[in-house]
């Protein structure tokens, strides 16, 4: 089975989208929150369950207005990744006509943004939990996305402009192991379109992986998109410790799990990168755009993240504030690894109740663990394309 993971290249360079040096930009678009699962750790606020056709078609206009109002110059960009999700956008309960709406959404996004910069490469990625039976309907849709985009962008030379990502979490996502088998069969069905496997690093999920999870192990050669857990309700149950993060990174390195944030940490001395992509990601939900990931992904009081700085948070200050709080909390400036450290998710780790380990930061410990391991470095450098 061959998997081409070209889309992972869109997440390599992380720079400020206002900078003329930044060539990439990402939109994370939640069309609605109507879902066929009830993941207990989900950061969904369950406010936008109604599926409205016109609201979906308005998204490209709202996104373009946001970047124009916030000083982002599309003429300086080369690649735009539009990651679209729900809820569950491919649920069997979704009517066929809504897939036509998705195609129109692709068309409007493409036409609007190519008008601003005709040389842009636009990539559409669709995030799903994989729990749907009408796979041929979704496959036909993905092919139609390619056809639509190619017809509008004659200079586009990549094999495909669209990919699909699947979320997998061993604990508190699926009702039973039968659903995990269903999920895995869906991944195999879409093997030619798979971009990443999205994995949320909650405490129970990490513990399950460390104990051995056959479904996780079956896709470890694909790109695992490691997502730091955002504290919400029941955060006491789901928030990992520094020690547990270290054990997960160590497990991925020892077992050659192709997890992007682990791989990027291994190669960061050669290819410096910050794991946090909030600098270059515009998040959409409920007819608004923002770069403030705290307000977007947590239902906890913002003061638990920003402290006494909460009153000065806005679209322009939120990223720098999170980074400064993170660096002060972890003592990063005194660490020799800081110049190339990937840092992790600065937003989620600013959370007041996230405690830095007395044994030292998990990333500091991981850098020490992998030091001098040339075989591991070679694997990480070459793992963007994987053959099973």
């Amino acid at each position: 089975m061959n998997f081409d993971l070209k889309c992972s290249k869109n997440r390599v360079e992380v720079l400020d989208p206002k900078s003329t040096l930044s060539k990439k930009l990402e939109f994370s678009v939640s069309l609605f929150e109507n879902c066929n699962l009830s993941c207990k750790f989900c950061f969904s606020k369950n406010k936008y369950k109604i599926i409205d056709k016109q609201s979906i078609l308005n998204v490209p206009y709202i996104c373009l207005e946001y970047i124009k109002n916030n000083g982002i110059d599309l003429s300086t960009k080369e690649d735009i990744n539009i990651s679209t999700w729900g809820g569950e956008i491919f649920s069997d309960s979704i009517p066929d006509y809504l897939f036509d709406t998705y195609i129109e959404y692709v068309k409007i996004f493409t036409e609007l943004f190519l008008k601003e910069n005709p040389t842009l490469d636009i990539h559409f990625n669709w995030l799903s939990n994989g729990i749907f039976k009408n796979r041929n309907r979704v496959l036909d849709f993905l092919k139609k996305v390619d056809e639509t985009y190619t017809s509008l962008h004659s200079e586009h030379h990549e094999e495909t402009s669209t990919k699909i990502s699947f979320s997998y979490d061993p604990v508190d996502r699926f009702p039973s192991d039968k659903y995990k088998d269903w999920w895995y069969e869906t991944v195999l069905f879409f093997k030619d379109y798979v971009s990443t496997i999205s994995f949320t690093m909650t405490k129970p999920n990490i513990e399950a992986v460390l104990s051995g999870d056959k479904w996780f192990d079956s896709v470890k050669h694909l790109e695992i998109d490691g997502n730091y857990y955002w504290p919400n309700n029941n955060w006491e149950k789901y928030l990992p410790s520094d020690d547990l993060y270290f054990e997960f990174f160590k497990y991925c390195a020892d077992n050659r799990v192709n997890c992007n944030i682990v791989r990027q940490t291994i190669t960061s001395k050669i290819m410096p990168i910050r794991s946090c992509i909030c600098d270059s990601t515009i998040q959409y939900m409920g007819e608004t755009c923002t770069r403030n990931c705290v307000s977007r992904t947590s239902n906890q009081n913002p003061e638990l993240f920003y402290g006494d700085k909460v009153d000065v948070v806005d679209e322009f200050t939120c990223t720098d504030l999170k980074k400064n709080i993170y660096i002060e909390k972890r003592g990063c400036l005194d660490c020799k690894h800081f110049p190339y450290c990937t840092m992790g998710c600065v937003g989620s780790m600013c959370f007041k109740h996230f405690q830095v380990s007395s044994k030292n930061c998990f990333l500091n410990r991981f850098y020490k663990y992998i030091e001098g391991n040339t075989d591991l470095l070679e694997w990480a450098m070459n793992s963007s394309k994987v053959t099973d």
Side-chain angles (χ1 to χ4, degrees), residues 201 206 227-229 239-250 330 348-349 354 362:
M201 293 181 290
I206 293 176
N227 297 297
Y228 288 92
Y229 167 68
L239 187 65
S241 64
D242 248 15
D243 293 339
L244 198 57
Y245 274 129
F246 170 73
E247 291 299 328
F248 178 73
F249 272 57
K250 179 175 176 291
R330 287 192 168 273
S348 65
M349 292 182 183
F354 181 85
F362 78 96

Side-chain angles (χ1 to χ4, degrees), residues 180-191:
K180 295 179 184 179
D181 288 335
W182 181 354
W183 172 87
Y184 183 61
E185 290 169 0
T186 304
V187 173
L188 293 181
F189 183 88
F190 289 96
K191 63 183 184 298

Side-chain angles (χ1 to χ4, degrees), residues 29-284:
V29 178
S30 175
L31 295 180
F32 47 80
E33 293 186 327
N34 194 302
C35 192
N36 55 2
L37 294 179
S38 299
C39 306
K40 295 180 181 178
F41 53 84
C42 182
F43 59 70
S44 169
K45 299 178 182 180
N46 295 312
K47 289 183 178 180
Y48 310 106
K49 288 191 173 184
I50 296 176
I51 302 175
D52 180 71
K53 175 180 177 179
Q54 191 56 51
S55 293
I56 293 173
L57 297 181
N58 288 341
V59 171
Y61 298 100
I62 294 172
C63 290
L64 182 60
E65 181 182 21
Y66 176 88
I67 64 175
K68 285 186 173 183
N69 290 342
N70 286 275
I72 301 171
D73 185 0
L74 275 182
S75 69
T76 67
K77 308 301 174 189
E78 294 178 357
D79 293 281
I80 290 184
N81 189 48
I82 300 167
S83 183
T84 306
W85 43 292
E88 176 47 50
I89 54 177
F90 297 142
S91 171
D92 290 323
S93 65
I94 297 291
D96 289 342
Y97 75 81
L98 200 63
F99 280 74
D100 295 330
T101 301
Y102 294 164
I103 293 296
E104 187 66 19
Y105 160 89
V106 168
K107 183 179 179 182
I108 295 172
F109 241 128
T110 303
E111 289 177 335
L112 280 178
F113 281 70
L114 289 183
K115 185 177 180 180
E116 298 293 323
N117 181 356
T119 66
L120 280 174
D121 274 331
I122 304 174
H123 310 270
F124 292 92
N125 190 60
W126 311 86
L127 178 60
S128 170
N129 59 35
I131 304 302
F132 53 87
K133 294 181 178 179
N134 198 344
R135 294 168 183 155
N136 284 319
R137 179 174 71 159
V138 177
L139 181 60
D140 289 342
F141 162 72
L142 295 174
K143 291 177 180 178
K144 196 167 183 179
V145 171
D146 274 340
E147 293 169 1
T148 301
Y149 179 69
T150 302
S151 70
L152 296 170
H153 198 350
S154 59
E155 296 182 359
H156 185 76
H157 299 300
E158 289 200 17
E159 180 181 351
T160 179
S161 64
T162 192
K163 293 283 186 180
I164 186 169
S165 296
F166 292 106
S167 300
Y168 176 74
D169 299 285
V171 181
D172 290 338
R173 172 177 287 276
F174 303 107
S176 67
D177 287 353
K178 180 180 179 180
Y179 278 77
K180 295 179 184 179
D181 288 335
W182 181 354
W183 172 87
Y184 183 61
E185 290 169 0
T186 304
V187 173
L188 293 181
F189 183 88
F190 289 96
K191 63 183 184 298
D192 294 331
Y193 283 92
V194 172
S195 171
T196 61
I197 304 298
S198 179
F199 174 79
T200 302
M201 293 181 290
T202 66
K203 180 177 183 288
N205 280 341
I206 293 176
E207 290 174 341
V209 168
L210 297 181
S211 298
D213 182 87
K214 69 176 184 179
W215 295 276
F216 183 89
D217 291 341
S218 70
V219 295
K220 71 177 185 180
H221 59 292
L222 300 178
E223 176 150 325
I224 307 297
D225 184 15
N227 297 297
Y228 288 92
Y229 167 68
W230 271 90
N232 281 293
N233 296 332
N234 300 317
W235 62 262
E236 293 97 334
K237 175 182 178 180
Y238 294 110
L239 187 65
S241 64
D242 248 15
D243 293 339
L244 198 57
Y245 274 129
F246 170 73
E247 291 299 328
F248 178 73
F249 272 57
K250 179 175 176 291
Y251 177 88
C252 290
D254 291 345
N255 294 278
R256 301 302 191 262
V257 176
N258 189 22
C259 181
N260 54 2
I261 58 174
V262 177
R263 190 183 69 242
Q264 291 162 2
T265 304
I266 295 169
T267 62
S268 62
K269 281 189 178 181
I270 299 172
M271 302 166 57
I273 181 175
R274 301 300 190 196
S275 292
C276 182
I277 61 170
C278 55
D279 284 359
S280 58
T281 300
I282 311 302
Q283 302 179 59
Y284 172 93

